[in-house]
Amino acid sequence: MSPTHKVYIAGPEVFLPNGFAQMQRKGELALAQGFFPSTMAENDLDPTGVSAFQFGCQISAANEKMMRDADFCIANLTPFRGISADIGTGYEVGFMIALGKPVFGYTNTSKLYYERLLEDYYRGKAEKDAEGVLRGADGLMIEDHGMVDNLMFDGGISAIGGRLVRRDVPSEAMLTDLGAYDECLGLARDFFGKM
Amino acid sequence: MSPTHKVYIAGPEVFLPNGFAQMQRKGELALAQGFFPSTMAENDLDPTGVSAFQFGCQISAANEKMMRDADFCIANLTPFRGISADIGTGYEVGFMIALGKPVFGYTNTSKLYYERLLEDYYRGKAEKDAEGVLRGADGLMIEDHGMVDNLMFDGGISAIGGRLVRRDVPSEAMLTDLGAYDECLGLARDFFGKM
């Protein structure tokens, strides 16, 4: 079958030890479902003679161009270096939704944002204030919308007709398991129609 | 002077103990510089009879509508509950830049992303791999673009003609100090022209 739509593959894979292979694998899986994958921006860029800051700007510009060229996005929203998804991926989800392009997100934990905040970040230490709002020891509100991360993600993704898939993956495979990614490809295939 | 443009005020203020007062103060400062501030979405919403998830979706939809209505954004990108900015704010910066609207960001630390990753997150423990890429003990790349956060922020904001302001603020005031916010209002005033 020949590819029908372009997918922008968002996620923190570039930072992984096996990042290049992982991104290649994600591209192959996309092609197998009939989607053109966005290729790594860095491949077409040359850092020679530019500052690290300028090179970062080149990568950013290439990513933004790829997003504008793509028909939809699949975003790895698995918690990354903390309680939330990779913030670069977060930026990209907002970017694609503003352009009216569907986003299919996934996270390799079934733990909701509220549970991660309360159990992992605040270690269970939280109290309700005078107005009944649950707060951590630092005074910050612990929000509970039954959502995967900050409410902009479940909210924006569902409003645009996308989906946010949760799977429970052993912690050592959380950043690499591609089962939920493949499920997103299938959901996108249904969204755009069978070939 | 009468307001000329609408500003979407992005940041994690809603989670602060004094969140409402802080958002009011930010709105007043915007008005003083001649900008209509975006008002809190929650004020116009009623959680009665809807699930927490549905209410979260209502807030998200109201925020997205306000972003589409606004002329520009000022975003508080101070690190929030970890190494990076509030991810909801990150989503919103990407959203506004996709719409072609200028973003003025600020962060109340002069520590760059690389320094926070290496010193605060990895506690100085990092090694170069065979290809010379610096990695933490978890194998993840420690990127250094001389930037404030993930490269999409400095990249997108500078490409759209905005600015990213850094200030050193004592840690106890990092989430509340409004000096850099006020500086962003002045930069936006210059951007849109004096009244």
Side-chain angles (χ1 to χ4, degrees):
Chain A
M1 54 191 178
S2 62
T4 57
H5 296 80
K6 285 187 194 168
V7 55
Y8 184 82
I9 303 173
E13 281 74 12
V14 66
F15 306 115
L16 298 179
N18 62 345
F20 185 71
Q22 181 76 355
M23 284 186 284
Q24 274 204 316
R25 181 80 188 119
K26 292 183 93 166
E28 287 160 10
L29 289 169
L31 268 174
Q33 292 269 11
F35 299 117
F36 283 114
S38 58
T39 50
M40 245 191 86
E42 285 87 341
N43 287 352
D44 310 318
L45 301 174
D46 183 2
T48 313
V50 300
S51 70
F53 187 94
Q54 287 170 320
F55 187 52
C57 287
Q58 286 181 11
I59 299 170
S60 158
N63 285 340
E64 292 203 357
K65 182 175 182 305
M66 283 196 295
M67 287 195 278
R68 292 189 189 276
D69 286 344
D71 297 297
F72 71 105
C73 174
I74 297 184
N76 180 358
L77 294 171
T78 304
F80 181 75
R81 284 177 176 156
I83 212 72
S84 281
D86 166 47
I87 197 165
T89 305
Y91 177 106
E92 293 173 342
V93 170
F95 195 99
M96 290 296 277
I97 286 178
L99 298 178
K101 302 184 180 189
V103 174
F104 300 86
Y106 70 93
T107 174
N108 280 335
T109 175
S110 66
K111 251 189 167 179
L112 292 170
Y113 187 46
Y114 168 79
E115 297 166 326
R116 300 199 306 275
L117 269 178
L118 184 58
E119 295 167 22
D120 303 338
Y121 188 79
Y122 288 111
R123 305 284 171 196
K125 288 191 180 130
E127 283 188 23
K128 288 196 176 175
D129 68 12
E131 277 135 34
V133 176
L134 191 66
R135 297 186 179 275
D138 54 7
L140 298 177
M141 180 200 298
I142 302 175
E143 63 273 33
D144 180 10
H145 289 284
M147 289 180 165
V148 157
D149 206 310
N150 179 290
L151 61 84
M152 297 304 287
F153 292 86
D154 263 300
I157 288 172
S158 64
I160 208 147
R163 283 276 298 281
L164 222 169
V165 172
R166 285 190 285 151
R167 285 212 185 180
D168 246 337
V169 169
S171 60
E172 66 274 16
M174 269 181 69
L175 289 175
T176 52
D177 188 279
L178 295 178
Y181 170 75
D182 210 38
E183 187 178 342
C184 285
L185 286 169
L187 292 167
R189 193 66 274 161
D190 292 340
F191 182 92
F192 288 107
K194 296 288 178 193
M195 284 167 298
Chain B
M1 55 191 180
S2 62
T4 57
H5 296 81
K6 285 188 194 168
V7 55
Y8 184 81
I9 302 172
E13 280 74 13
V14 67
F15 307 115
L16 299 179
N18 60 344
F20 184 71
Q22 181 77 355
M23 286 186 285
Q24 273 203 316
R25 180 80 188 119
K26 291 183 93 166
E28 286 160 10
L29 288 168
L31 269 173
Q33 291 270 11
F35 298 118
F36 282 114
S38 57
T39 51
M40 245 190 87
E42 285 88 341
N43 287 353
D44 310 318
L45 301 173
D46 182 3
T48 313
V50 301
S51 70
F53 187 94
Q54 287 170 320
F55 188 51
C57 287
Q58 286 181 11
I59 299 170
S60 157
N63 285 340
E64 293 202 356
K65 183 175 182 304
M66 282 197 295
M67 286 194 279
R68 292 190 190 277
D69 287 344
D71 297 297
F72 72 105
C73 175
I74 297 185
N76 179 358
L77 295 170
T78 304
F80 182 74
R81 283 176 176 157
I83 213 72
S84 282
D86 166 47
I87 197 166
T89 305
Y91 177 106
E92 293 173 341
V93 170
F95 194 99
M96 290 297 276
I97 286 178
L99 299 178
K101 302 184 181 190
V103 173
F104 300 86
Y106 69 92
T107 174
N108 279 335
T109 175
S110 65
K111 251 190 167 178
L112 292 170
Y113 188 45
Y114 169 79
E115 298 167 324
R116 299 198 307 274
L117 270 177
L118 184 58
E119 295 166 21
D120 302 338
Y121 188 80
Y122 289 112
R123 304 285 172 197
K125 288 192 179 131
E127 282 189 23
K128 288 197 175 173
D129 68 12
E131 278 134 34
V133 176
L134 191 66
R135 295 187 181 277
D138 55 8
L140 298 177
M141 180 201 297
I142 303 174
E143 64 273 32
D144 181 10
H145 289 286
M147 288 179 166
V148 157
D149 207 310
N150 180 288
L151 62 84
M152 298 303 288
F153 291 86
D154 263 301
I157 288 172
S158 64
I160 208 147
R163 283 278 297 281
L164 222 169
V165 171
R166 286 190 283 152
R167 285 213 186 180
D168 247 337
V169 169
S171 60
E172 67 274 15
M174 268 181 69
L175 289 176
T176 51
D177 188 279
L178 294 178
Y181 169 75
D182 210 38
E183 187 177 342
C184 285
L185 286 168
L187 291 167
R189 194 64 273 160
D190 291 341
F191 183 91
F192 288 107
K194 296 289 179 193
M195 286 167 296

